């Protein structure tokens, strides 16, 4: 299932905000200053992780927030392990996580060996309950707007994007729950980023998928709602240029990752 999401999540993009700017990889060494810098990715694309590592090295963040790690996992990323990829991957239990090979992500940790690592992953059992409509929203749901329905047009659009990301092979009635889970994960990333900023003074670099990096409804919008005084920069990394721009402050295009047909499993 994660392979499907990796391959297709970045394929459907909305119109960009007026300030969106396309850049090249050379600009990653001199990104504009911000309290929180969100570095998007397509999870299995090695070019994206190389770019994230370059950006992190230049930013020298006080904290790194990972979508891929729980709080418990992040606590195991001690300073002495940050530049020891094999030992760090083992300590994090990465091989059992379902994410792409740790070799893709290790250079990001090594690029900021003094940074404090934070995890923003929502436990899978909790997410399953959220998808089914059986789980309670976080206690701070109102802070992130989770207690409010989305505008109808946005809800419909996001459900259609979730359906496409799952090869249109999942029951239609599951799509509202999938969108609800995405919103909860956006809030978890924003919450972790603000905690990291408060505890370290920043800057904070957030490593996450392009969907969460979107300025229109992803983590940046949650941060703008909860902490408008915090400056945020969002970078999206795409595998092809969208027709109508991209919903990020800055964006770039890289070669595609080599991957099998993500929808093949649904046709077998």
């Amino acid at each position: 299932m994660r392979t499907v999401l990796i391959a297709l999540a970045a394929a459907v993009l909305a119109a960009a905000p007026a300030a969106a700017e396309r850049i090249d990889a050379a600009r990653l060494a001199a990104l504009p200053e911000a309290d929180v810098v969100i570095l998007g990715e397509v999870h299995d694309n090695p070019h994206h992780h190389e770019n994230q590592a370059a950006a992190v090295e230049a930013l020298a963040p006080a904290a790194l927030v990972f979508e891929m790690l729980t709080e418990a996992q992040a606590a195991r990323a001690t300073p002495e392990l940050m530049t020891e990829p094999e030992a760090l991957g083992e300590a994090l239990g990465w091989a059992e996580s379902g994410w792409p090979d740790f070799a893709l992500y290790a250079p990001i940790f090594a690029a900021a060996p003094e940074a404090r690592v934070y995890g923003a992953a929502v436990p899978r059992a909790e997410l399953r309950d959220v998808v089914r409509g059986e789980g309670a929203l976080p206690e701070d749901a109102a802070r992130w707007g989770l207690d409010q329905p989305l505008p109808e047009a946005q809800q419909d659009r996001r459900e259609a994007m979730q359906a496409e990301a799952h090869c249109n092979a999942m029951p239609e009635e599951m799509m509202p729950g999938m969108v609800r889970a995405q919103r909860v994960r956006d809030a978890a990333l924003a919450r972790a980023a603000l905690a990291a900023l408060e505890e370290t003074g920043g800057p904070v670099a957030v490593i996450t998928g392009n969907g969460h990096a979107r300025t229109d409804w992803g983590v940046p919008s949650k941060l703008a709602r909860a902490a408008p005084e915090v400056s945020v920069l969002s970078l999206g990394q795409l595998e092809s240029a969208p027709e109508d721009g991209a919903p990020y402050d800055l964006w770039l295009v890289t070669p595609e990752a080599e991957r099998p047909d993500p929808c093949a499993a649904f046709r077998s």
Side-chain angles (χ1 to χ4, degrees):
M1 184 65 68
R2 190 179 299 280
T3 301
V4 176
L5 292 172
I6 286 170
L8 296 180
V12 183
L13 291 170
E21 178 187 355
R22 181 173 180 173
I23 65 172
D24 59 29
R27 285 274 303 278
L28 297 173
L31 292 175
E33 292 185 3
D35 295 323
V36 178
V37 179
I38 302 171
L39 300 173
E41 64 180 48
V42 175
H43 299 309
D44 68 341
N45 190 313
H47 304 287
H48 295 187
H49 301 302
E50 292 169 4
N51 288 338
Q52 287 169 327
V56 166
E57 183 175 13
L59 289 167
L64 286 168
V65 176
F66 284 87
E67 172 192 352
M68 304 82 194
L69 300 177
T70 63
E71 291 183 15
Q73 287 175 298
R76 303 177 204 145
T78 56
E80 61 270 18
L81 293 178
M82 295 287 277
T83 57
E84 300 292 336
E86 185 174 345
L88 179 57
E90 184 175 347
L92 296 175
W94 192 279
E96 295 77 44
S97 71
W99 291 97
D101 195 288
F102 186 65
L104 296 176
Y105 288 86
I108 302 169
F109 290 88
E114 302 300 320
R116 182 170 171 182
V117 177
Y118 289 75
V122 180
R124 292 179 183 177
E126 291 184 24
L127 277 180
R128 283 195 295 268
D129 288 344
V130 169
V131 170
R132 295 168 181 160
E134 300 171 355
L137 291 174
E139 291 183 0
D140 60 352
R143 185 184 190 194
W144 315 108
L146 300 179
D147 59 336
Q148 300 297 319
L150 295 175
E152 184 177 357
Q154 184 185 139
Q155 179 71 34
D156 291 346
R157 188 161 164 224
R158 294 180 70 168
E159 287 183 22
M161 291 173 68
Q162 285 291 335
E164 182 168 349
H166 293 86
C167 301
N168 294 305
M170 296 183 68
E172 184 177 349
E173 58 268 24
M174 287 187 65
M175 294 306 104
M178 300 296 289
V179 173
R180 186 164 54 246
Q182 190 78 349
R183 295 177 69 192
V184 167
R185 293 172 68 200
D186 285 334
L189 281 157
R191 186 186 303 112
L194 289 182
L197 182 61
E198 179 178 352
E199 293 171 11
T200 69
V204 176
V206 179
I207 306 300
T208 189
N210 284 325
H212 295 298
R214 296 177 63 119
T215 54
D216 50 0
W217 63 54
V219 177
S221 69
K222 298 290 186 290
L223 292 172
R225 176 189 178 96
E229 73 282 2
V230 171
S231 58
V232 180
L233 179 73
S234 175
L235 171 77
Q237 297 194 81
L238 313 178
E239 294 183 333
S240 61
E243 293 182 1
D244 298 317
Y248 310 100
D249 297 313
L250 303 174
W251 58 282
L252 55 81
V253 177
T254 71
E256 293 185 13
E258 294 184 8
R259 59 176 68 93
D261 180 356
C263 296
F266 292 106
R267 296 194 292 267
S268 59

